[in-house]
Protein backbone atom coordinates (compact mmCIF):
# COMPACT_ATOMS: atom_id res chain seq x y z
CA UNK A 1 0.00 0.00 0.00
CA UNK A 2 1.13 3.52 -0.82
CA UNK A 3 -0.26 6.66 0.81
CA UNK A 4 0.58 10.09 -0.51
CA UNK A 5 -0.19 13.73 0.18
CA UNK A 6 0.15 16.37 -2.52
CA UNK A 7 0.07 20.18 -2.31
CA UNK A 8 -1.58 22.05 -5.15
CA UNK A 9 0.76 24.54 -6.83
CA UNK A 10 -1.68 26.50 -9.00
CA UNK A 11 -4.33 27.08 -6.30
CA UNK A 12 -4.83 26.45 -2.60
CA UNK A 13 -5.42 22.81 -1.87
CA UNK A 14 -4.31 19.30 -0.98
CA UNK A 15 -4.98 15.76 -2.14
CA UNK A 16 -4.56 12.69 0.08
CA UNK A 17 -4.50 9.34 -1.70
CA UNK A 18 -4.10 5.64 -0.96
CA UNK A 19 -3.14 3.08 -3.62
CA UNK A 20 -3.69 -0.53 -2.63
CA UNK A 21 -3.65 -3.99 -4.15
CA UNK A 22 -7.00 -5.77 -4.16
CA UNK A 23 -8.03 -9.27 -5.21
CA UNK A 24 -9.54 -7.80 -8.39
CA UNK A 25 -6.62 -5.48 -9.24
CA UNK A 26 -5.82 -2.05 -7.79
CA UNK A 27 -7.72 0.64 -5.91
CA UNK A 28 -6.77 4.33 -5.99
CA UNK A 29 -8.80 6.32 -3.50
CA UNK A 30 -8.54 9.70 -1.91
CA UNK A 31 -9.90 13.13 -1.09
CA UNK A 32 -9.06 16.46 -2.63
CA UNK A 33 -9.88 19.81 -1.07
CA UNK A 34 -9.01 22.86 -3.16
CA UNK A 35 -10.06 26.29 -4.36
CA UNK A 36 -11.75 26.21 -7.75
CA UNK A 37 -12.63 28.76 -10.42
CA UNK A 38 -14.64 31.83 -9.40
CA UNK A 39 -13.43 31.52 -5.78
CA UNK A 40 -15.46 28.37 -5.19
CA UNK A 41 -14.15 25.76 -2.77
CA UNK A 42 -14.25 22.06 -3.69
CA UNK A 43 -14.26 18.93 -1.56
CA UNK A 44 -14.20 15.71 -3.60
CA UNK A 45 -13.62 12.10 -2.65
CA UNK A 46 -12.69 9.62 -5.36
CA UNK A 47 -12.25 5.92 -5.91
CA UNK A 48 -10.66 4.52 -9.06
CA UNK A 49 -10.59 0.77 -9.70
CA UNK A 50 -8.15 -0.89 -12.11
CA UNK A 51 -7.57 -4.49 -13.10
CA UNK A 52 -4.26 -6.33 -12.55
CA UNK A 53 -2.84 -4.81 -15.76
CA UNK A 54 -3.86 -1.31 -14.61
CA UNK A 55 -6.60 -0.91 -17.19
CA UNK A 56 -9.22 1.36 -15.63
CA UNK A 57 -12.51 -0.33 -14.75
CA UNK A 58 -14.52 2.23 -12.79
CA UNK A 59 -14.42 5.48 -10.87
CA UNK A 60 -16.72 7.27 -8.47
CA UNK A 61 -16.36 10.93 -7.54
CA UNK A 62 -18.53 12.40 -4.77
CA UNK A 63 -18.60 15.70 -2.97
CA UNK A 64 -19.25 19.30 -3.83
CA UNK A 65 -17.89 22.30 -5.71
CA UNK A 66 -19.25 25.53 -4.28
CA UNK A 67 -23.02 25.12 -4.01
CA UNK A 68 -23.08 22.26 -6.54
CA UNK A 69 -23.31 18.69 -5.24
CA UNK A 70 -21.26 16.26 -7.32
CA UNK A 71 -21.60 12.57 -7.98
CA UNK A 72 -20.02 11.16 -11.12
CA UNK A 73 -19.94 7.44 -11.82
CA UNK A 74 -17.73 6.06 -14.61
CA UNK A 75 -17.82 2.33 -15.45
CA UNK A 76 -16.31 0.22 -18.24
CA UNK A 77 -18.38 -2.74 -19.35
CA UNK A 78 -16.80 -6.03 -20.47
CA UNK A 79 -17.40 -5.08 -24.13
CA UNK A 80 -15.31 -1.88 -23.74
CA UNK A 81 -18.32 0.46 -23.60
CA UNK A 82 -18.32 3.18 -20.97
CA UNK A 83 -21.25 4.18 -18.81
CA UNK A 84 -21.30 7.70 -17.38
CA UNK A 85 -23.81 7.94 -14.55
CA UNK A 86 -25.40 4.77 -15.96
CA UNK A 87 -25.70 6.06 -19.55
CA UNK A 88 -23.63 4.68 -22.44
CA UNK A 89 -21.31 7.22 -24.11
CA UNK A 90 -20.25 5.77 -27.48
CA UNK A 91 -17.55 8.46 -27.93
CA UNK A 92 -15.56 6.77 -25.14
CA UNK A 93 -15.84 3.16 -26.32
CA UNK A 94 -12.57 1.23 -26.30
CA UNK A 95 -10.60 3.65 -24.11
CA UNK A 96 -8.38 2.13 -21.40
CA UNK A 97 -7.64 4.84 -18.82
CA UNK A 98 -9.61 7.11 -16.51
CA UNK A 99 -8.19 10.56 -15.75
CA UNK A 100 -9.85 12.49 -12.94
CA UNK A 101 -8.82 16.01 -13.87
CA UNK A 102 -8.55 17.33 -10.31
CA UNK A 103 -5.98 14.83 -8.94
CA UNK A 104 -2.50 13.61 -9.94
CA UNK A 105 -3.46 10.18 -8.58
CA UNK A 106 -4.99 9.16 -11.91
CA UNK A 107 -1.69 9.49 -13.78
CA UNK A 108 -0.38 6.41 -11.96
CA UNK A 109 -2.83 4.04 -13.65
CA UNK A 110 -1.84 5.23 -17.16
CA UNK A 111 1.89 5.06 -16.39
CA UNK A 112 1.59 1.59 -14.89
CA UNK A 113 -0.59 0.32 -17.76
CA UNK A 114 1.72 1.72 -20.47
CA UNK A 115 4.77 0.25 -18.67
CA UNK A 116 7.20 2.17 -20.89
CA UNK A 117 10.91 1.41 -21.06
CA UNK A 118 13.39 4.30 -21.00
CA UNK A 119 13.17 6.44 -24.16
CA UNK A 120 9.96 4.66 -25.20
CA UNK A 121 6.85 6.69 -26.07
CA UNK A 122 3.21 5.82 -25.53
CA UNK A 123 -0.16 7.45 -25.92
CA UNK A 124 -3.41 7.17 -24.07
CA UNK A 125 -6.82 8.55 -24.82
CA UNK A 126 -8.39 8.74 -21.39
CA UNK A 127 -11.94 8.93 -20.15
CA UNK A 128 -11.43 12.35 -18.57
CA UNK A 129 -13.40 14.30 -15.98
CA UNK A 130 -12.96 17.92 -17.12
CA UNK A 131 -12.92 20.31 -14.17
CA UNK A 132 -13.95 23.28 -16.32
CA UNK A 133 -17.51 21.99 -16.78
CA UNK A 134 -17.43 18.70 -14.80
CA UNK A 135 -18.36 16.71 -17.90
CA UNK A 136 -16.70 13.43 -18.92
CA UNK A 137 -14.87 13.57 -22.27
CA UNK A 138 -11.99 11.91 -24.08
CA UNK A 139 -8.49 13.35 -23.59
CA UNK A 140 -5.46 12.48 -25.75
CA UNK A 141 -2.26 12.22 -23.69
CA UNK A 142 1.33 11.50 -24.69
CA UNK A 143 4.09 10.07 -22.50
CA UNK A 144 7.81 9.55 -23.19
CA UNK A 145 9.86 7.89 -20.47
CA UNK A 146 13.07 9.93 -20.47
CA UNK A 147 14.66 8.39 -17.37
CA UNK A 148 14.05 5.93 -14.59
CA UNK A 149 11.59 8.26 -12.85
CA UNK A 150 10.97 10.94 -15.48
CA UNK A 151 8.31 11.25 -18.18
CA UNK A 152 7.77 13.95 -20.75
CA UNK A 153 4.02 14.45 -20.72
CA UNK A 154 1.83 16.30 -23.21
CA UNK A 155 -1.85 17.12 -23.36
CA UNK A 156 -2.19 18.55 -26.89
CA UNK A 157 -5.78 19.74 -26.27
CA UNK A 158 -4.44 22.17 -23.65
CA UNK A 159 -1.06 22.93 -25.20
CA UNK A 160 0.44 21.61 -21.96
CA UNK A 161 3.87 19.97 -21.87
CA UNK A 162 5.88 19.13 -18.78
CA UNK A 163 8.33 16.66 -17.35
CA UNK A 164 6.68 14.59 -14.64
CA UNK A 165 8.83 13.20 -11.84
CA UNK A 166 7.45 9.96 -10.37
CA UNK A 167 8.37 7.38 -7.76
CA UNK A 168 9.62 3.93 -8.75
CA UNK A 169 6.00 2.79 -8.45
CA UNK A 170 4.74 5.53 -10.81
CA UNK A 171 3.20 7.97 -8.33
CA UNK A 172 3.60 11.63 -9.29
CA UNK A 173 6.24 13.41 -7.21
CA UNK A 174 6.05 16.65 -9.17
CA UNK A 175 3.56 17.74 -11.82
CA UNK A 176 5.10 21.11 -12.80
CA UNK A 177 2.89 24.06 -12.01
CA UNK A 178 0.09 21.83 -10.69
CA UNK A 179 1.04 19.40 -7.91
CA UNK A 180 3.99 18.51 -5.67
CA UNK A 181 4.21 15.54 -3.32
CA UNK A 182 4.85 16.51 0.30
CA UNK A 183 4.57 13.07 1.93
CA UNK A 184 4.75 9.42 0.85
CA UNK A 185 4.45 6.26 2.96
CA UNK A 186 4.54 2.59 1.98
CA UNK A 187 3.43 -0.43 3.93
Amino acid sequence: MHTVLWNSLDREGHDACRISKASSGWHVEGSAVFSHHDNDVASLSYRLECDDAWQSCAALVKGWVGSRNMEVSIARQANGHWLINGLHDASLDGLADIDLGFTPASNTNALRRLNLKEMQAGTSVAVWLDTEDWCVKSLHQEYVRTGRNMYDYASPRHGYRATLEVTDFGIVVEYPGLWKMCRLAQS
Side-chain angles (χ1 to χ4, degrees), residues 40-179:
D40 277 341
V41 173
S43 175
L44 298 171
S45 63
Y46 58 90
R47 181 175 176 93
L48 171 62
E49 297 176 11
C50 299
D51 65 17
D52 282 324
W54 285 92
Q55 182 167 292
S56 297
C57 300
L60 179 62
V61 175
K62 291 175 117 178
W64 47 268
V65 178
S67 61
R68 179 181 178 178
N69 289 328
M70 299 282 302
E71 185 165 340
V72 179
S73 169
I74 303 170
R76 181 175 50 86
Q77 298 179 302
N79 62 5
H81 291 183
W82 287 92
L83 301 179
I84 309 304
N85 294 328
L87 301 174
H88 175 230
D89 185 338
S91 71
L92 305 173
D93 287 352
L95 303 183
D97 297 315
I98 293 174
D99 185 326
L100 304 175
F102 61 90
T103 174
S106 56
N107 286 93
T108 299
N109 51 305
L111 292 173
R112 296 286 298 190
R113 184 187 63 77
L114 289 169
N115 194 26
L116 302 174
K117 308 247 184 288
E118 284 192 38
M119 301 316 297
Q120 185 179 13
T123 61
S124 167
V125 181
V127 176
W128 172 56
L129 179 58
D130 184 351
T131 61
E132 291 295 320
D133 59 10
W134 299 101
C135 291
V136 177
K137 309 168 181 174
S138 64
L139 179 66
H140 178 82
Q141 299 174 314
E142 301 169 357
Y143 294 92
V144 179
R145 188 171 190 174
T146 57
R148 178 176 172 188
N149 296 89
M150 305 298 278
Y151 291 83
D152 284 345
Y153 168 79
S155 173
R157 170 186 251 162
H158 301 103
Y160 181 83
R161 292 188 171 283
T163 299
L164 305 181
E165 179 184 351
V166 300
T167 66
D168 287 343
F169 189 78
I171 300 169
V172 171
V173 173
E174 185 166 2
Y175 202 131
L178 299 175
W179 293 98

